[in-house]
Amino acid sequence: MQYDIAAIIQGYAQGYFLMADDSNGLEWYSSRDRTLIPLDDRFCYPKSLRRVINQERFSVAINRDFKAVVLGCANRETTWISPELEDIYWELYQAGWAYSFETWLGDELAGGILGIVIGGAFIGESMFYRIPEGSKVAMVKLVERLRERKFVLFDGQMMNPHLERFGAYRVDDDEYQALLNQALQRKCYFL
């Protein structure tokens, strides 16, 4: 099935995101309160994770195994990533909008973050790990990359305890829309 990629990107550019409902039908959602991962000095992580990063056991890659990251993100008891949404992510990837930011331990995929890049916005869709600390290292390295590339916004969509540990914070819809509009004006290159 072919999807209207331009319309999907337009939806994300207006602050909406796609999720499958209980019957695996896809719906557009928005939130009055959005979770952002800070790209400034509010970003934080535990000293124990700093030790793991300094050991350099994990390497990072972008799009080395995009499909495996999508499957890893979808592989949980309750998921909003339906088979149709997997197909959409694949088409977004092929069109240059969706990316997987991955950590590897040797030749084994340790974890990853799935996201959509529009201008200076990285819209995080989901993350997962197979090896402990895999997704946490990915988060730190991704924030470093977004900072280097002068991104405006790292959208985490919805708060959870995992994101909270990194200094994630909530903004209301007006503030989110203002940041998103600022991000859309910026030409950032993820690769």
Side-chain angles (χ1 to χ4, degrees), residues 40-58:
D40 57 20
D41 57 8
R42 290 175 289 181
F43 183 76
C44 58
Y45 54 94
K47 284 191 173 90
S48 58
L49 183 57
R50 190 165 289 127
R51 282 193 293 275
V52 170
I53 291 167
N54 289 340
Q55 291 168 356
E56 296 183 356
R57 292 183 306 156
F58 295 100

Side-chain angles (χ1 to χ4, degrees), residues 95-159:
W97 296 103
Y99 295 89
S100 60
F101 192 85
E102 308 154 1
T103 49
W104 291 79
L105 189 60
D107 286 333
E108 189 177 352
L109 179 61
I113 299 172
L114 172 65
I116 294 168
V117 173
I118 308 172
F122 184 94
I123 302 163
E125 291 287 281
S126 188
M127 61 194 303
F128 85 104
Y129 71 92
R130 289 185 185 154
I131 296 172
E133 313 297 358
S135 65
K136 293 176 187 169
V137 171
M139 175 69 84
V140 172
K141 294 297 186 179
L142 175 56
V143 166
E144 288 174 3
R145 183 173 198 86
L146 296 176
R147 284 173 172 166
E148 286 166 11
R149 304 287 172 126
K150 307 284 188 247
F151 274 71
V152 173
L153 178 69
F154 183 171
D155 181 356
Q157 294 181 353
M158 291 187 251
M159 186 63 81

Side-chain angles (χ1 to χ4, degrees), residues 20-33:
D21 59 25
D22 293 339
S23 65
N24 272 348
L26 283 183
E27 296 288 334
W28 283 105
Y29 292 88
S30 69
S31 176
R32 273 183 255 122
D33 116 43

Side-chain angles (χ1 to χ4, degrees), residues 73-91:
C73 289
N75 184 20
R76 52 188 70 168
E77 213 167 289
T78 49
T79 183
W80 61 94
I81 302 176
S82 65
E84 184 182 11
L85 195 46
E86 288 176 27
D87 292 343
I88 288 171
Y89 288 145
W90 179 246
E91 286 200 25

